[in-house]
Amino acid sequence: MAYWLMKSEPDEFSFDDLKNRPEQTEPWDGVRNYQARNFMRDAMQDGDEVFFYHSNCDIPGIVGIARVRGETRPDHTAFDPDDKHFDPKSDPDKPRWYLRDIQYVRPLARTISLKELKDHAEALQDFALVRRGNRLSVMPVDAQHWDYILGLE
DNA sequence: GCCAACGTTGGC
DNA sequence: GCCAACGTTGGC
């Protein structure tokens, strides 16, 4: 069992949007970064837990917990010329981009903001999210960091 | 809206 | 394989 953090812009897809999905599950499509793809395709396991992070908004931070559901599969949006994440270099016979399905678990009692996380720099050393210049949208979370952050809730 | 950080592209 | 140009991310 591993832990992850996944970013989403709430204007695009928020944690409430996930909650309101018919099966509270959403394919995490549109990721076009190789490192993030490799985490989703190769490292995630069915049942892994995920911090749901809101980026590019008033208070960037962790707002809820989700869960990885099922195995990896090709990101279908890469094949659709009308999709904003269309990638002509991704061939359905040899897909370049993969996704996971993410299921709602529960909201945090309160948002744990990026600012607050940065205030715990010592305990959260080497946590990718608080490293300078971090732009990765899918990243692993160490078990001790996961527990520490939930301890702030 | 600004801009630093960083990933990708493509000419050479 | 190098690296300048360019595009994107995302905090502020």
Side-chain angles (χ1 to χ4, degrees):
Chain A
M1 168 81 114
Y3 300 102
W4 304 93
L5 181 142
M6 298 170 92
K7 296 178 183 173
S8 187
E9 302 189 16
D11 287 349
E12 300 286 328
F13 187 78
S14 71
F15 192 59
D16 274 347
D17 292 332
L18 181 63
K19 181 182 183 179
N20 293 328
R21 281 291 189 256
E23 298 186 35
Q24 299 193 318
T25 301
E26 178 75 2
W28 207 260
D29 57 33
V31 171
R32 297 291 180 269
N33 170 284
Y34 289 104
Q35 207 180 345
R37 177 205 66 183
N38 293 346
F39 286 137
M40 288 203 291
R41 187 188 60 184
D42 306 331
M44 280 184 179
Q45 307 263 7
D46 181 30
D48 281 356
E49 289 191 289
V50 177
F51 280 144
F52 197 108
Y53 178 93
H54 279 172
S55 66
N56 245 323
C57 55
D58 283 353
I59 304 175
I62 300 166
V63 298
I65 295 174
R67 191 183 297 283
V68 175
R69 269 294 167 234
E71 303 307 313
T72 191
R73 56 195 179 91
D75 183 343
H76 49 91
T77 65
F79 310 136
D80 177 2
D82 295 327
D83 193 281
K84 89 184 220 197
H85 298 294
F86 174 60
D87 182 356
K89 292 174 185 162
S90 188
D91 182 335
D93 292 329
K94 202 180 175 215
R96 173 176 295 202
W97 305 111
Y98 286 79
L99 56 74
R100 291 280 179 158
D101 294 285
I102 299 301
Q103 183 175 43
Y104 178 89
V105 174
R106 71 169 180 88
L108 295 192
R110 63 186 187 86
T111 297
I112 299 178
S113 69
L114 178 63
K115 179 181 182 304
E116 180 173 356
L117 292 169
K118 285 178 170 173
D119 288 340
H120 294 264
E122 197 169 339
L124 297 177
Q125 236 177 349
D126 301 325
F127 180 32
L129 184 75
V130 298
R131 278 207 293 263
R132 198 173 65 108
N134 164 65
R135 291 168 41 192
L136 202 56
S137 67
V138 176
M139 67 184 75
V141 181
D142 290 346
Q144 66 265 30
H145 292 158
W146 178 276
D147 290 341
Y148 183 86
I149 291 165
L150 281 183
L152 301 173
E153 187 180 2

